[in-house]
């Protein structure tokens, strides 16, 4: 009998869910972000960015005569939760467009819902599988790991180096980037002559680096990983006195890496987004005004240092807003068509030129090759070495 | 209805079969009626998730409530079930229904291997062993990227049964609801079987049970295997329902969530497993309006339940109501 009351109680909790969602003349933009959980370093700046720029756009009168209403849900990095929120955005909130999906796992999980509902979806996650094969309603703003590999390889070619050794972390990012580097190496004319790997949490990579040092013919070394692993590799690299050119991935493009690796980081090269070196870009760089403005706005309003992840959200929102302006309406199909026609959009991640076959629209200029000199980033010119 | 504290067992045993299942009948009626109030498929999805997690929670509840053992790696079995229906059809051309059974069998086998040596020991050895087991499985799912797609997960093919492709949120609601009712009825029967009585004896006093001739280790092992199969089934459903699976299905936090469902709803109460699952699946949906404070309030609710309804929601409320009636 008690159970019956319990059931009624449970049912009424459920009914409480019904009381969500109210009608309004605004245009609803959905965002499922990993604000908490292991991927919060992505979702948190993304959420802050979207909130501050939506407020900004509304203060200026909105888009196409309508104000934007941002509906943010936190999936905690869990695709199962993200799926439930995606269903809610489509069925209950009735959003017009979606900017979000902090991780690749979440994005891949929720793609079918937005494809089916025919809602433009701009993802903020890295992997190339999101836009390959091209899906009609799905776009993304962050550059891919493959592009980071290609950028490194292009720099190697400029220095006439073709034989490399890879040392990669076995955790998610390092492994995925390693796979992609190996996959695109032949096309770039680069030969991977030797490979080493290390686990997350390893504190000494001297054995692996000794193997690389003893390997004949290696002309340069690439380390694919993020977090503190690369800093240890960098220190060990110096301790062993290896003189070969050393490349890190975009995964360590933060001041923290330089601090952790110390003087050993001197001369290390890595690809990174323009946002990180906003103040070092040349005055005629097209991206300079955009990244400087975003950096200033974000750091002022959030009180935290800027990250490229928030920049991806900025790019996604602005691509959407500009597409809606060109479309002259918030009709989903028209907005989608205009997103696909985005040309010459200058974002924090690069200059975006989309097409029906390219729903990312970035090329290698999105990455800048940096070299660490005297504990700070310096830009490596694309033409020189 | 299905609570079993030491003083109430005789009453329970005297209850006839029909009455024993009446709570489950009520749940079944609610499951049939409630969709009439669903304004959109979003509600079907939430309700389907409640039933799916409740299936896993019942399994864990059998272990915790009746054998007095805790598993901190039960999501690992969900992971086995989930990846079975993902990997089987994708890489080995095994039909989904067969992969589903293989997953359940594999979970049972793994539970047997893990449980056999450990359940001979007393205390929280099983909790620690399952904790490690769950973490290990999550690492395997991440690292065997060739099979599992790595941390980004993999697509789960739509199950095809007798030429009929199983899809749609509403379909999955019915599958989950029917499976839950079936699983709950099975669990209720098990509790009132000789195995169940032996388990309750173990729960109350292992020494006394052993004196009465109960093979304590064997009975614990049996229930551990059964609970693993429940989790595996729930995992398979979750994977096929979502159409995409990532290693977080078997993550440590998922295991803790399952334990929380059992404890919140009421240890030893099958209806409690449903209430616990409903609470933890629906609360994050209800609390979204709190934005940054969502996690904090969720924690407060859980703490509040544990402080004020110490035996869990269903047993506490049931006890309060029966006191008032008396």
């Amino acid at each position: 009998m008690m159970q019956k009351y319990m059931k009624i109680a449970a049912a009424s909790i459920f009914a409480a869910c019904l009381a969500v969602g109210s009608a309004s003349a605004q245009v609803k933009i959905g965002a499922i972000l990993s604000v908490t959980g292991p991927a919060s370093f992505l979702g948190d700046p993304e959420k802050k960015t979207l909130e501050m720029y939506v407020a900004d756009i509304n203060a200026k009168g909105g888009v196409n005569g309508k104000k934007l209403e941002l509906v943010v849900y936190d999936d905690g990095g869990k695709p199962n939760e993200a799926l439930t929120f995606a269903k809610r955005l489509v069925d209950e909130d009735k959003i017009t467009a979606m900017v979000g999906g902090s991780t690749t796992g979440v994005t891949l999980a929720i793609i079918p819902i937005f494809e089916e509902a025919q809602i433009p979806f701009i993802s903020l996650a890295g992997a190339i599988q999101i836009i390959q094969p091209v899906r009609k309603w799905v776009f993304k703003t962050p550059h891919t790991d493959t592009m980071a590999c290609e950028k490194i390889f292009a720099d190697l070619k400029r220095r006439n180096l073709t034989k490399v050794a890879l040392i990669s972390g076995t955790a998610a990012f390092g492994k995925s980037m390693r796979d992609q580097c190996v996959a695109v190496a032949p096309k770039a004319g680069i030969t991977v002559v030797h490979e080493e790997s290390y686990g997350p949490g390893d504190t000494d990579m001297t054995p692996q680096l000794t193997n690389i040092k003893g390997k004949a013919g290696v002309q340069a070394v690439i380390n694919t990983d993020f977090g503190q692993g690369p800093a240890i590799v960098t220190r060990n690299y110096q301790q062993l006195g290896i003189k070969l050119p050393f490349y890190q991935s975009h995964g360590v493009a933060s001041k923290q890496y330089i601090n952790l690796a110390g003087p050993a980081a001197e001369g290390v090269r890595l690809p990174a987004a323009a946002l990180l070196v906003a103040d070092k870009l040349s005055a005629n760089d097209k991206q300079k005004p955009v990244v400087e403005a975003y950096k200033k706005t974000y750091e002022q309003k959030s009180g935290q240092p800027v990250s490229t992840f928030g920049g991806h959200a900025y790019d996604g929102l602005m691509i959407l807003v500009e597409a809606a302006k060109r479309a002259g309406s918030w009709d989903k199909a028209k907005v989608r068509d205009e997103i696909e026609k985005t040309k010459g959009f200058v974002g924090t991640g690069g200059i975006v030129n989309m097409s029906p076959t390219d729903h990312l629209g970035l090329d290698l200029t999105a990455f800048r090759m940096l070299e660490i000199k005297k504990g700070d980033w310096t830009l490596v010119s694309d033409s020189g070495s | 209805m299905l609570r079993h504290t030491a003083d109430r067992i005789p009453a329970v045993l005297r209850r006839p079969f029909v009455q024993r299942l009446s709570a489950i009948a009520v749940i079944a009626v609610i499951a049939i009626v409630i969709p009439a109030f669903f304004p959109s498929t979003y509600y079907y999805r939430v309700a389907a998730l409640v039933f799916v997690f409740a299936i896993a929670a019942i399994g864990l509840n059998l272990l915790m409530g009746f054998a007095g053992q805790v598993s901190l790696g039960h999501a690992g079995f969900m992971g086995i079930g989930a990846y079975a229906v993902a990997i089987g059809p994708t890489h080995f051309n095994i039909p989904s229904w067969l992969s589903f059974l293989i997953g359940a069998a594999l979970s049972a086998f793994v539970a047997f291997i893990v449980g056999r040596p450990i359940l001979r020991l007393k205390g929280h050895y099983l909790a620690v062993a399952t904790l490690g087991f769950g973490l290990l499985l999550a690492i395997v799912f991440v690292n065997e990227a060739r099979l599992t797609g790595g941390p980004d997960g993999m697509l789960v093919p739509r199950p095809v049964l007798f030429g009929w492709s199983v899809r749609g949120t509403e379909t999955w609601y019915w599958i989950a609801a029917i499976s839950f009712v079936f699983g709950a009825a099975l669990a209720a029967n098990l509790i009132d079987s000789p195995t169940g009585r032996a388990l309750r004896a173990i729960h109350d006093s292992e020494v006394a049970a052993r004196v009465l001739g109960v093979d304590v280790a064997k009975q614990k092992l049996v229930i551990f295997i059964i609970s693993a199969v429940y989790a595996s089934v729930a995992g398979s459903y979750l994977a096929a329902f979502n159409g995409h699976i990532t290693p977080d299905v078997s993550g440590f936090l998922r295991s803790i969530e399952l334990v929380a469902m059992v404890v919140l709803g009421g240890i030893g109460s099958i209806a409690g497993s449903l209430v616990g699952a409903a609470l933890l699946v629906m609360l994050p949906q209800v609390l979204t309006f709190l934005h940054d404070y969502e996690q904090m309030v969720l924690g407060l609710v859980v703490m509040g339940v544990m402080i004020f309804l110490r035996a869990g929601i269903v047993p506490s409320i049931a006890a309060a109501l029966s006191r008032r009636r008396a």
Side-chain angles (χ1 to χ4, degrees):
Chain A
M1 314 321 94
M2 310 313 127
Q3 274 68 21
K4 202 185 285 174
Y5 294 119
M6 274 319 301
K7 291 293 106 39
I8 293 163
S12 53
I13 295 173
F14 210 103
C17 300
L18 307 182
V20 212
S22 56
S24 78
Q26 294 168 317
V27 164
K28 286 191 177 176
I29 311 289
I32 298 169
L33 302 169
S34 305
V35 184
T36 56
S40 62
F41 67 101
L42 303 170
D44 185 57
E46 287 164 358
K47 179 172 179 243
K48 286 181 176 135
T49 302
L50 289 179
E51 280 170 349
M52 61 182 74
Y53 280 93
V54 163
D56 187 54
I57 290 165
N58 285 339
K60 289 175 186 156
V63 181
N64 297 337
K66 287 187 175 174
K67 298 215 165 176
L68 307 185
E69 185 187 341
L70 186 68
V71 187
V72 183
Y73 291 128
D74 172 18
D75 60 43
K78 291 178 276 189
N80 180 52
E81 271 64 6
L83 259 167
T84 308
F85 284 125
K87 207 111 190 84
R88 184 164 170 180
L89 285 175
V90 171
D91 287 352
E92 294 299 304
D93 301 315
K94 307 213 182 303
I95 56 162
T96 302
M98 157 88 181
V99 179
S102 303
T103 67
T104 301
V106 162
T107 300
L108 291 177
I110 61 180
I111 278 176
I113 291 188
F114 294 101
E115 279 282 299
E116 197 184 330
Q118 312 210 321
I119 289 172
F121 172 20
I122 302 180
S123 166
L124 311 178
I128 196 151
Q129 298 98 286
I130 295 167
I131 47 151
Q132 239 177 35
V134 174
R135 295 172 176 93
K136 190 177 176 196
W137 299 87
V138 183
F139 303 86
K140 81 184 208 82
T141 56
H143 39 65
T144 64
D145 296 346
T146 311
M147 291 168 65
C149 299
E150 287 168 346
K151 188 75 185 181
I152 294 174
F153 291 159
D155 195 59
L156 285 168
K157 289 288 272 187
R158 253 194 310 278
R159 300 167 88 177
N160 289 321
L161 308 169
T162 55
K163 294 191 168 71
V164 300
L166 284 182
I167 174 162
S168 47
T170 55
F173 173 84
K175 188 171 181 317
S176 139
M177 184 166 166
R178 177 248 156 223
D179 293 346
Q180 287 167 50
C181 283
V182 170
V184 296
K187 213 172 72 191
I190 300 288
T191 321
V192 179
V193 292
H194 190 67
E195 279 199 65
E196 292 286 339
S197 69
Y198 57 87
D202 283 5
T203 52
D204 181 34
M205 286 64 144
T206 319
Q208 290 95 326
L209 287 169
T210 309
N211 285 345
I212 289 175
K213 194 183 179 185
K215 190 86 187 168
V218 175
Q219 294 172 323
V221 182
I222 303 172
N223 184 197
T224 68
D225 195 12
F226 82 137
Q228 55 179 349
I232 300 170
V233 173
T234 309
R235 280 171 175 267
N236 291 161
Y237 200 83
Q238 191 207 30
Q239 285 155 4
L240 289 173
I242 306 176
K243 297 289 176 223
L244 301 168
F246 189 35
Y247 286 82
Q248 285 288 350
S249 72
H250 54 306
V252 299
S254 73
K255 272 271 147 55
Q256 213 185 348
Y257 166 71
I258 298 183
N259 293 341
L260 282 171
E266 190 71 17
V268 170
R269 288 192 176 188
L270 66 148
L275 190 55
L276 282 176
V277 281
D279 50 333
K280 298 204 172 54
L281 297 174
S282 67
N284 58 6
D285 194 307
K286 269 193 186 170
Q287 274 188 276
K288 190 173 175 83
V290 175
V291 293
E292 280 196 329
Y294 172 69
K295 184 175 154 81
K296 200 172 142 216
T297 310
Y298 185 86
E299 293 188 343
Q300 233 165 37
K301 291 197 181 166
S302 73
Q304 284 162 345
V306 75
S307 83
T308 49
F309 313 118
H312 299 325
Y314 169 87
D315 294 354
L317 181 66
M318 292 306 164
I319 287 173
L320 173 69
V321 163
E322 302 228 325
K325 280 182 188 162
R326 286 198 301 274
S329 85
W330 278 103
D331 179 78
K332 289 168 195 152
K334 283 183 190 157
V335 171
R336 186 217 81 93
D337 291 347
E338 286 300 330
I339 295 175
E340 196 169 70
K341 286 180 199 151
T342 299
K343 287 275 180 284
F345 168 84
V346 184
T348 64
I351 300 180
V352 180
N353 291 299
M354 293 208 192
S355 74
T357 53
D358 183 4
H359 279 190
L360 167 63
L362 292 174
D363 59 21
L364 288 189
T365 57
F367 274 121
R368 309 302 162 106
M369 186 52 72
L370 306 181
E371 185 170 324
I372 297 165
K373 279 184 186 159
K374 299 195 182 85
D376 199 5
W377 315 109
T378 53
L379 277 167
V380 176
S381 126
D382 273 354
S383 44
S385 66
Chain B
M1 198 127 304
L2 297 161
R3 65 210 131 76
H4 293 287
T5 43
D7 53 329
R8 296 197 185 92
I9 286 170
V12 167
L13 291 181
R14 261 179 268 119
R15 270 194 279 129
F17 179 75
V18 177
Q19 203 188 340
R20 221 192 289 148
L21 294 180
S22 65
I24 292 159
V26 171
I27 292 172
V29 169
I30 289 170
I32 292 166
V33 172
I34 204 169
F37 301 98
F38 290 165
S40 72
T41 51
Y42 158 65
Y43 291 85
Y44 276 99
R45 175 174 168 83
V46 174
L49 284 179
V50 168
F51 283 123
V52 167
F53 281 105
I55 292 171
I58 292 179
L60 187 57
N61 205 343
L62 288 174
L63 182 71
M64 289 172 66
F66 302 106
Q69 297 285 326
V70 180
S71 166
L72 295 179
H74 239 53
F77 295 114
M78 280 187 85
I80 292 179
Y83 276 96
V85 294
I87 293 172
T90 310
H91 294 292
F92 303 107
N93 269 327
I94 303 170
S96 295
W97 65 269
L98 188 58
S99 305
F100 170 88
L101 294 180
I102 292 173
L106 195 63
S107 292
F109 178 71
V110 171
F112 175 75
I113 299 290
V114 174
R116 211 177 122 80
I118 289 157
L119 286 165
R120 298 191 168 273
L121 306 167
K122 271 195 224 161
H124 292 301
Y125 293 100
L126 186 72
V128 176
T130 50
L131 175 75
F133 156 76
L135 293 175
L136 271 177
L137 262 185
I139 293 171
V140 169
F141 292 141
V142 168
N143 283 340
E144 290 305 309
R146 205 172 42 80
L147 275 181
T148 65
D152 294 337
M154 69 185 292
L155 286 174
V156 182
R158 297 239 172 259
V160 179
L161 265 184
F162 311 116
W164 171 61
S165 168
V166 183
R167 58 182 308 147
T169 312
E170 285 158 50
T171 312
W172 276 107
Y173 170 80
W174 293 111
I175 293 175
I178 292 166
S179 303
F180 171 81
V181 170
F182 184 69
L186 216 62
N189 265 337
L190 183 80
I191 290 163
D192 286 338
S193 72
T195 304
R197 283 191 286 276
L199 282 169
R200 287 201 301 277
I202 294 169
H203 187 98
D204 290 340
S205 163
E206 272 196 43
V207 178
R210 196 171 289 133
V211 169
L212 289 171
V214 175
D215 185 343
V216 173
K218 186 187 152 206
Q219 296 294 359
K220 280 186 188 170
L221 184 60
V222 167
I223 208 74
F224 183 54
I225 291 171
I226 292 173
S227 76
V229 171
Y230 269 85
S232 176
V233 167
S236 293
Y237 282 162
L238 189 68
F241 176 31
N242 284 347
H244 183 269
I245 196 76
T246 57
D248 86 65
V249 68
S250 62
F252 176 60
L253 287 177
R254 202 51 99 186
S255 292
I256 296 300
E257 204 173 83
L258 289 178
V259 173
M261 284 172 184
V262 173
V263 175
L264 285 177
I267 290 180
S269 161
I270 285 176
S273 293
L274 180 63
V275 173
L279 196 70
L280 286 185
V281 170
M282 286 174 7
L283 263 187
Q285 295 292 324
V286 177
L287 296 178
T288 46
F289 69 94
L290 296 166
H291 295 292
D292 295 347
Y293 300 101
E294 186 191 322
Q295 300 289 328
M296 207 172 81
V297 174
L298 187 68
L300 276 177
V301 170
V302 171
M303 270 170 61
V305 168
M306 277 349 302
I307 292 170
F308 297 108
L309 303 170
R310 204 161 295 175
I313 296 171
V314 172
S316 297
I317 292 180
L321 288 175
S322 66
R323 260 202 309 277
R324 191 182 302 166
R325 201 166 296 166

